[in-house]
Amino acid sequence: MKKKLILALAMLFSFGLVIAQDDEGKKQKKDKPIRPMFESGILIDGQTSVIPIKNTLEMHIQHRFGVIKDNGASDFFGIYAPSANTRMGLNYSLRNNLMIGYGITRKNMYNDFQVKWKFLQQTRSGSMPVNLAVYGNMAIDGRNKSVYGDDYTFANRLSYFGQVIVGRKFNGWFSMELNASYTHYNAVKSDEVNVKGYEHDIIGVGGHMRFKFSPQSSILIMYTAPIFIEGMAENQEVMNTWYSNLGIAYEVATSTHAFQIFVTTANGIIPQDIYMYNTSKWTETEIRFGFNITRLWNF
Amino acid sequence: MKSLKKITTVLIVALLGFAFMAFVFPQEQKKGGSWDIPAKYKKMENTYAGDKSLLKIGKMMYSKHCKSCHGSSGMGDGSKAAQLETFAGDFTSEEFKTQVDGILYFKSIIGRDEMPNFEKKISDDEDQWAVIMYIKTLD
């Protein structure tokens, strides 16, 4: 399965490159970029290649409730569970293809600083068949020092996430993205260094799909999978339990808002936390309700 | 104690007064006054006129950006219309349809007062004209 995913990703990348080379040298009139393939820069738990136009302030409110099946009706299927997680963030588009942002998440009080750059833009004529974007963030774990034990340094709080996103809007009702990512945590728990402990790094792949069935409404699907490569392992006995993350959403978009209501697997919101520390398995229906609200202001 | 009673009575009378005023003042929205449209917009032409494929795009854009105030059929009866001080207009009327494209562009994309500016929300000129082409088809 993982090999197939990597192969599919590689094919999509190479397709884009081949087209780009074919067009090289041809003098073309300025082509228009395709209309946005998604309504928001986020899709359930993932980042899309979408960046609002220059000088747009984008506010995100992201919320994840508790696991639906844990207490059933007694906490209204997780909606009133104490384990809920929230992130509030602001992004600003410096250019039509460059965005910076900052957000705070309840879990671990992560303070994340992010940047997204879309360096290839799918065009309406098809001269560029895909969107290609890179996304990166650095998060600071904002919990008390005591969490880190005696040998505390500020660097222990830091984690990093880098991702390449390739996407294509196939037509008005169907869009798809694939992504590949790398997550790094500066400090992880370890029973015995290099023998038994958590890994600092993990590779991941994922995908997003949108089925737009009316001018304002869509069904969204998101899937991400950590890929553990044994040859890269630091520890002889790895303590991580990496699980994939699946989410299905209903989205309504208006002129300045996008609302996504969904079921998803992970409790985390920032991507490195989801890839590294998701402890819920969708195969065992450990799923939860959640929502994302995106609000745009143009300046 | 006596003064407290007086204050309470005055407050009750004032509240009742406000409540009755709601029935006295007309609740109708005002009609928008005449537009002061710069000459360059009056002369503006739709460079995409004749491209019928844009009607589908126009409908999508209209649903996302305009429908909540102007209504599904352009009668000015969208879900947010009642909150407006000014009537959102009837796109099906003859009066509306006699306007030239440039004037419709200014009114739809540049806007004024309660009608927001859409130059950034609908940033592409093709999409802007697509909306105008679509609203002209409403009847």
Side-chain angles (χ1 to χ4, degrees):
Chain A
M1 181 64 186
K2 285 173 184 171
K3 276 183 184 170
K4 279 182 185 171
L5 276 170
I6 293 170
L7 189 66
L9 195 65
M11 280 177 72
L12 205 53
F13 271 119
S14 52
F15 178 60
L17 291 173
V18 167
I19 298 293
Q21 281 163 7
D22 280 348
D23 288 337
E24 206 174 332
K26 286 181 190 172
K27 196 177 179 184
Q28 290 186 348
K29 65 172 186 178
K30 199 175 180 214
D31 199 1
K32 285 192 173 183
I34 199 135
R35 296 178 180 90
M37 59 189 293
F38 298 113
E39 303 294 343
S40 173
I42 50 172
L43 191 150
I44 309 180
D45 292 331
Q47 288 288 331
T48 69
S49 60
V50 169
I51 296 175
I53 67 163
K54 186 182 173 185
N55 296 335
T56 300
L57 182 68
E58 186 183 32
M59 182 178 76
H60 289 305
I61 302 171
Q62 299 162 266
H63 193 83
R64 309 293 179 265
F65 296 101
V67 173
I68 293 171
K69 73 172 188 180
D70 276 359
N71 297 302
S74 62
D75 63 3
F76 203 53
F77 307 100
I79 287 174
Y80 291 96
S83 55
N85 192 16
T86 300
R87 178 181 180 276
M88 292 179 75
L90 289 171
N91 298 332
Y92 192 77
S93 301
L94 296 172
R95 298 169 62 93
N96 286 335
N97 63 349
L98 181 66
M99 174 218 88
I100 55 169
Y102 166 71
I104 308 179
T105 307
R106 178 180 181 266
K107 184 181 180 184
N108 295 352
M109 286 307 290
Y110 285 118
N111 283 242
D112 63 274
F113 300 87
Q114 56 184 338
V115 59
K116 186 155 63 181
W117 176 42
K118 181 157 66 176
F119 58 95
L120 288 181
Q121 170 75 59
Q122 185 183 348
T123 56
R124 295 183 195 183
S125 72
S127 59
M128 175 51 64
V130 291
N131 288 320
L132 194 54
V134 286
Y135 167 82
N137 79 29
M138 181 192 77
I140 303 168
D141 187 321
R143 288 175 295 173
N144 287 338
K145 276 183 185 178
S146 56
V147 174
Y148 294 92
D150 298 331
D151 52 350
Y152 166 81
T153 63
F154 180 77
N156 290 352
R157 294 180 179 275
L158 304 180
S159 59
Y160 304 89
F161 180 81
Q163 189 171 52
V164 179
I165 306 164
V166 58
R168 178 170 169 78
K169 184 176 181 180
F170 289 86
N171 48 48
W173 66 271
F174 181 65
S175 302
M176 185 176 169
E177 277 183 350
L178 296 173
N179 56 60
S181 65
Y182 189 83
T183 294
H184 173 81
Y185 271 77
N186 269 3
V188 291
K189 284 182 181 168
S190 177
D191 281 0
E192 193 178 343
V193 177
N194 292 339
V195 178
K196 186 182 178 186
Y198 283 81
E199 296 290 309
H200 287 85
D201 307 276
I202 187 71
I203 292 169
V205 295
H208 300 142
M209 281 192 279
R210 178 181 81 164
F211 301 90
K212 189 168 183 171
F213 61 88
S214 84
Q216 288 180 278
S217 309
S218 309
I219 295 293
L220 309 172
I221 298 173
M222 170 222 62
Y223 179 76
T224 60
I227 295 180
F228 173 55
I229 300 168
E230 277 190 20
M232 287 172 63
E234 306 157 54
N235 296 287
Q236 290 166 21
E237 193 180 334
V238 176
M239 291 168 70
N240 297 74
T241 51
W242 289 297
Y243 295 129
S244 58
N245 186 28
L246 177 70
I248 300 171
Y250 168 66
E251 181 184 62
V252 182
T254 69
S255 191
T256 50
H257 292 84
F259 302 95
Q260 296 170 2
I261 304 160
F262 47 80
V263 285
T264 187
T265 318
N267 162 260
I269 297 177
I270 64 167
Q272 56 262 60
D273 183 80
I274 292 172
Y275 274 104
M276 192 66 93
Y277 293 120
N278 173 27
T279 53
S280 300
K281 292 171 84 171
W282 57 272
T283 51
E284 293 181 11
T285 60
E286 291 169 341
I287 53 173
R288 67 193 73 239
F289 290 114
F291 64 81
N292 292 335
I293 299 173
T294 302
R295 172 70 164 101
L296 303 173
W297 289 275
N298 299 109
F299 295 103
Chain B
M1 200 65 189
K2 219 173 180 180
S3 63
L4 186 69
K5 251 187 178 178
K6 264 187 183 173
I7 291 169
T8 314
T9 312
V10 169
L11 277 175
I12 289 170
V13 169
L15 275 171
L16 283 172
F18 278 123
F20 282 123
M21 293 291 259
F23 296 98
V24 173
F25 285 122
Q27 295 296 296
E28 278 179 24
Q29 291 170 314
K30 66 179 180 191
K31 279 205 164 187
S34 62
W35 287 68
D36 185 15
I37 297 173
K40 74 163 186 171
Y41 289 101
K42 285 180 183 169
K43 286 185 217 154
M44 199 178 218
E45 284 184 14
N46 176 6
T47 46
Y48 300 95
D51 185 353
K52 299 282 182 203
S53 68
L54 285 180
L55 289 177
K56 194 178 163 191
I57 301 297
K59 187 180 180 183
M60 301 276 279
M61 294 286 164
Y62 181 85
S63 295
K64 186 176 172 184
H65 298 283
C66 321
K67 194 174 81 176
S68 59
C69 290
H70 292 285
S72 303
S73 50
M75 308 273 281
D77 56 355
S79 56
K80 283 160 66 180
Q83 297 163 29
L84 300 173
E85 288 176 16
T86 314
F87 175 54
D90 180 357
F91 299 158
T92 65
S93 67
E94 277 307 308
E95 185 192 352
F96 177 82
K97 290 186 191 301
T98 53
Q99 297 174 98
V100 297
D101 284 341
I103 289 176
L104 289 179
Y105 181 93
F106 187 85
K107 289 182 174 179
S108 311
I109 307 299
I110 308 300
R112 69 167 185 190
D113 304 330
E114 285 183 296
M115 177 63 201
N117 181 291
F118 278 93
E119 286 173 292
K120 287 181 178 172
K121 292 185 185 82
I122 308 174
S123 56
D124 180 42
D125 67 330
E126 192 177 351
D127 293 353
Q128 293 171 352
W129 284 112
V131 176
I132 292 159
M133 287 163 72
Y134 176 72
I135 59 177
K136 284 170 71 177
T137 66
L138 294 168
D139 51 21

